[in-house]
C-alpha cells in the first residue's frame, strides 16, 4: 500500500503494520490510522509516527525507557480492555518528542505515552493520572542524570542532529 508523507514523500507500507488508534490521538481524534517509520540508522532511537490518513501529520517518537529507565506507570483497566491486552509482553510504549532548533532542549511527553498492543496493532495515547510526569520532559537532562550514559551524550546529540 502506498501512502504519502509530507516529510518522506511516497512510501510503500505493509497494510499489516498499520496501527489503529482506538480513540485517535487527542486533538486529532478523526485520524485513527498510523504507521511507525523506522530510522534508516539502527543506532538512532527516534522513529516517526506517520498518519496514513493525512500526509501532513507526523510525530517524532521515542521509546521513553531509553532515556528514562525508571519510567513507571500503570495502564488503567479501560485501556487494557480497549486495546484487548492479554499479556504485558505484547505492550510497546512510545513518547511523542518535540525537537526544537536547539536539540539540547528537546522534550518527550511522559504524561501521555502511546500504548500499542503489538499483537493486534491497536493503540491509544493514554493521559496518565497525577503529576509524576510532565508533557515536556527534557531528554538531555535525563541523560545527564543517568551517569551510565554521560560519556555518550555528545555522540547522541550528533546522531539526533543527523536524524532530524
Amino acid at each position: 500500500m502506498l501512502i504519502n508523507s509530507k516529510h518522506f514523500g511516497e512510501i510503500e507500507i505493509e497494510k499489516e503494520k498499520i496501527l489503529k488508534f482506538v480513540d485517535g490521538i487527542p486533538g486529532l481524534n478523526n485520524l485513527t490510522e498510523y504507521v511507525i517509520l523506522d530510522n534508516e540508522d539502527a543506532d538512532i532511537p527516534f522513529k516517526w509516527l506517520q498518519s496514513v490518513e493525512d500526509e501532513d501529520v507526523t510525530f517524532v517518537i521515542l521509546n521513553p525507557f531509553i532515556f528514562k529507565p525508571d519510567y513507571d506507570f500503570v495502564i488503567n483497566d479501560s485501556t487494557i480492555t480497549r486495546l484487548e491486552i492479554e499479556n504485558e509482553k505484547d505492550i510497546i510504549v512510545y513518547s511523542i518528542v518535540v525537537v526544537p532548533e536547539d536539540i539540547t532542549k528537546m522534550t518527550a511527553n511522559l504524561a501521555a505515552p502511546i500504548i500499542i498492543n503489538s499483537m493486534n496493532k491497536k493503540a491509544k495515547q493514554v493521559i496518565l493520572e497525577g503529576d509524576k510526569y510532565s508533557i515536556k520532559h527534557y531528554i538531555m537532562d535525563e541523560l545527564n542524570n543517568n551517569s551510565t550514559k554521560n560519556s555518550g551524550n555528545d555522540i547522541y546529540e550528533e546522531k539526533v542532529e543527523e536524524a532530524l
Side-chain angles (χ1 to χ4, degrees):
M1 169 180 186
L2 283 176
I3 64 169
N4 288 314
S5 167
K6 177 181 176 182
H7 301 288
F8 304 104
E10 200 169 76
I11 305 168
E12 177 77 34
I13 61 167
E14 297 174 36
K15 200 170 185 173
E16 301 78 36
K17 292 190 175 183
I18 294 175
L19 302 173
K20 178 74 173 174
F21 277 71
V22 294
D23 299 319
I25 290 179
L28 297 169
N29 300 56
N30 61 323
L31 302 176
T32 58
E33 293 187 345
Y34 291 83
V35 64
I36 293 176
L37 304 175
D38 292 322
N39 200 305
E40 291 179 6
D41 185 342
D43 293 336
I44 297 174
F46 296 95
K47 299 180 182 213
W48 290 267
L49 184 65
Q50 172 67 53
S51 169
V52 173
E53 302 156 308
D54 186 334
E55 67 183 64
D56 292 332
V57 177
T58 308
F59 299 98
V60 177
I61 59 173
L62 176 68
N63 178 332
F65 298 103
I66 290 173
F67 67 93
K68 181 81 173 150
D70 62 344
Y71 186 42
D72 185 34
F73 59 89
V74 175
I75 300 173
N76 63 37
D77 291 341
S78 171
T79 300
I80 290 171
T81 300
R82 300 271 337 257
L83 299 183
E84 300 172 6
I85 296 170
E86 295 179 2
N87 189 328
E88 68 181 48
K89 293 179 182 176
D90 300 333
I91 298 171
I92 300 171
V93 178
Y94 286 104
S95 292
I96 292 178
V97 174
V98 174
V99 184
E101 193 168 311
D102 178 0
I103 66 163
T104 64
K105 304 290 184 206
M106 72 178 154
T107 59
N109 183 347
L110 294 184
I114 293 172
I115 310 297
I116 300 169
N117 180 345
S118 64
M119 298 305 289
N120 62 14
K121 305 298 182 204
K122 289 188 175 184
K124 180 175 176 62
Q125 185 173 26
V126 178
I127 298 172
L128 301 178
E129 295 180 16
D131 58 0
K132 185 175 179 181
Y133 298 109
S134 75
I135 60 170
K136 291 186 175 184
H137 210 87
Y138 288 97
I139 294 171
M140 291 304 181
D141 287 352
E142 223 28 82
L143 289 171
N144 287 331
N145 289 336
N146 187 345
S147 61
T148 59
K149 295 185 179 180
N150 277 346
S151 61
N153 279 353
D154 291 342
I155 294 170
Y156 189 78
E157 286 181 30
E158 289 174 19
K159 290 277 190 186
V160 170
E161 287 178 356
E162 289 172 16
L164 303 173

